[in-house]
Amino acid sequence: MKSSIRPLGIIILSLFGFLLIVSFYADKSQFELTAKEMHGKVLHSGYRLDSTGLSQLVDPILIDIRNERSFLVDHLDHSVNVPLSQLLNDESLELIGQSRPKVIISDERIHANESWMLLTQMGYDSIFVYRL
Amino acid sequence: MKSRELLTVIVLALGITGAMLPGRKNDSIALNEREMLQEMLLETNYVSVDELAHLLISGDPSIQLIDVRPASEFKDPLPRAINIPIDSIFTENYAYLFDQFIKKNVIYGLDDELATQVWMIMKQQGFKNNYLLKGGLNEWNDLILDPPLPPQTASKDEFDLYEKRMASRQFFTGAKSLPKIEFTPIAPIQGRKKKKVQGGCS
């Protein structure tokens, strides 16, 4: 009797351990805020800048999220090109993680707003949006 | 027998600890940030005003327009739109409205800002069939209700689009259509005819 129960116990234990590891690592989202917290945040934040607001920022990082070609044709001085598809790359997040104010620049208002939502929900702060 | 009881106790204890472990930090979030970025890049999540006009004119019954402007600014909405102001999107049964199985929600505001915020909040919860109107009501008013006449040098496609928009305008406002614009390509410059040589000996 005993001999049949011990392997069963080992199987159950290892299964439990496996589930624990899977649930810990799988689908781990880096969002700091829940959807409802984010909703509260968007209701009380003005993050859109006009050109005077942009000029008042101290030492901002200008992040241009348009594609490379549009960036090559014309862009603001001292701006960095981070195409939207590369927004969550390690180097981009390192740039965004700095404490200086960050300004997202795009001619597409939808993408600029979306990036603001995404990064703010991930816990990055002092991010603004400027429309070309 | 004893070892079997021991095993039961262990499994039970493990089950209870498992149930008491803290769940995922954001239970409401179905899509993580990378999946959200993929959704943002997907063109099919956006509807242009021309596409929407086409859908409304063809009488697609599955389109449900959601106007997220604050209730105080809710005037002259798109036809049959319902007003869900952005500050009250989390009603008791908001999931019934935003997680659509059959209907297609087209979310819009005056411009892109509020609608994008609502779309992002709903999308990350894994809700299906939510679309975003590009340019919002401003673009609708500018392009569909008052389409700008393309310059004389514009291509034929642009004139075709203009005529289509004028037809949509007539559908949505009941206004009389303007006289049809004839597309007249600029005539090629013709060289002067060579004059016959006159005189001389023949």
Side-chain angles (χ1 to χ4, degrees):
Chain A
M1 204 66 192
K2 209 172 182 180
S3 59
S4 74
I5 273 177
R6 189 169 286 173
L8 192 68
I10 292 172
I11 289 172
I12 289 177
L13 267 178
S14 50
L15 205 68
F16 188 80
F18 177 73
L19 279 178
L20 205 67
I21 292 170
V22 164
S23 68
F24 193 72
Y25 282 107
D27 198 24
K28 210 175 172 194
S29 124
Q30 283 182 23
F31 282 140
E32 292 274 324
L33 303 174
T34 63
K36 284 191 181 172
E37 285 167 345
M38 199 57 210
H39 176 239
K41 194 144 188 160
V42 296
L43 290 180
H44 304 108
S45 55
Y47 54 86
R48 255 156 82 166
L49 292 178
D50 51 10
S51 45
T52 48
L54 184 66
S55 59
Q56 281 165 1
L57 286 182
V58 184
D59 194 20
I61 308 176
L62 306 177
I63 301 170
D64 195 322
I65 59 165
R66 296 175 302 159
N67 58 30
E68 283 111 344
R69 199 199 292 182
S70 314
F71 184 79
L72 276 180
V73 172
D74 188 24
H75 58 89
L76 291 185
D77 289 343
H78 311 296
S79 58
V80 193
N81 186 212
V82 179
L84 183 60
S85 54
Q86 296 165 25
L87 190 66
L88 297 179
N89 287 4
D90 291 341
E91 310 100 78
S92 320
L93 289 182
E94 200 176 310
L95 184 75
I96 294 161
Q98 296 182 31
S99 58
R100 291 159 60 190
K102 277 83 53 179
V103 183
I104 298 170
I105 297 170
S106 180
D107 51 355
E108 288 216 33
R109 197 181 279 185
I110 288 186
H111 282 161
N113 281 323
E114 283 172 341
S115 314
W116 182 86
M117 293 278 291
L118 193 73
L119 295 171
T120 304
Q121 194 164 11
M122 288 170 73
Y124 296 101
D125 51 6
S126 63
I127 297 177
F128 302 91
V129 165
Y130 179 72
R131 190 186 179 209
L132 279 183
Chain B
M1 223 36 201
K2 243 192 177 166
S3 60
R4 186 173 281 192
E5 277 168 11
L6 188 70
L7 188 69
T8 320
V9 170
I10 290 175
V11 168
L12 265 177
L14 283 179
I16 290 169
T17 24
M20 280 160 78
L21 277 176
R24 289 216 330 257
K25 196 182 168 195
N26 286 337
D27 282 335
S28 62
I29 288 172
L31 269 62
N32 65 27
E33 70 282 356
R34 280 172 205 283
E35 289 163 332
M36 277 307 290
L37 185 63
Q38 291 307 315
E39 292 290 340
M40 284 157 57
L41 290 165
L42 211 61
E43 252 328 289
T44 49
N45 279 318
Y46 309 105
V47 181
S48 75
V49 285
D50 289 306
E51 287 163 348
L52 183 66
H54 177 75
L55 287 171
L56 291 178
I57 290 172
S58 64
D60 191 333
S62 64
I63 299 292
Q64 176 163 276
L65 294 162
I66 296 182
D67 193 319
V68 295
R69 287 177 293 170
S72 56
E73 294 171 24
F74 183 66
K75 50 176 187 268
D76 305 328
L78 294 180
R80 295 196 308 279
I82 47 175
N83 185 213
I84 312 287
I86 183 163
D87 49 3
S88 54
I89 50 173
F90 283 110
T91 51
E92 211 170 287
N93 43 11
Y94 70 100
Y96 288 104
L97 181 70
F98 284 105
D99 193 9
Q100 284 293 344
F101 189 59
I102 303 165
K103 289 199 167 178
K104 297 185 185 77
N105 285 336
V106 177
I107 302 172
Y108 75 92
L110 194 61
D111 57 20
D112 294 323
E113 191 183 358
L114 298 183
T116 308
Q117 293 165 352
V118 173
W119 181 82
M120 287 284 285
I121 287 171
M122 294 308 162
K123 197 81 197 174
Q124 63 180 262
Q125 298 180 69
F127 292 172
K128 290 189 177 60
N129 279 334
N130 288 303
Y131 301 87
L132 193 51
L133 180 64
K134 269 195 270 188
L137 207 55
N138 279 342
E139 195 157 313
W140 175 270
N141 290 339
D142 290 348
L143 296 184
I144 303 294
L145 299 189
D146 189 17
L149 183 68
Q152 205 62 47
T153 49
S155 67
K156 183 161 185 342
D157 287 348
E158 281 179 62
F159 277 96
D160 287 349
L161 184 64
Y162 173 72
E163 274 187 16
K164 217 175 187 178
R165 284 173 176 169
M166 286 308 283
S168 310
R169 170 179 186 259
Q170 195 183 3
F171 181 88
F172 290 110
T173 62
K176 252 184 155 183
S177 71
L178 294 182
K180 204 178 168 202
I181 290 177
E182 288 296 329
F183 180 75
T184 44
I186 300 165
I189 301 164
Q190 285 180 342
R192 234 187 262 163
K193 270 187 185 171
K194 253 188 183 174
K195 274 186 183 169
K196 269 186 183 171
V197 184
Q198 287 179 349
C201 346
S202 55

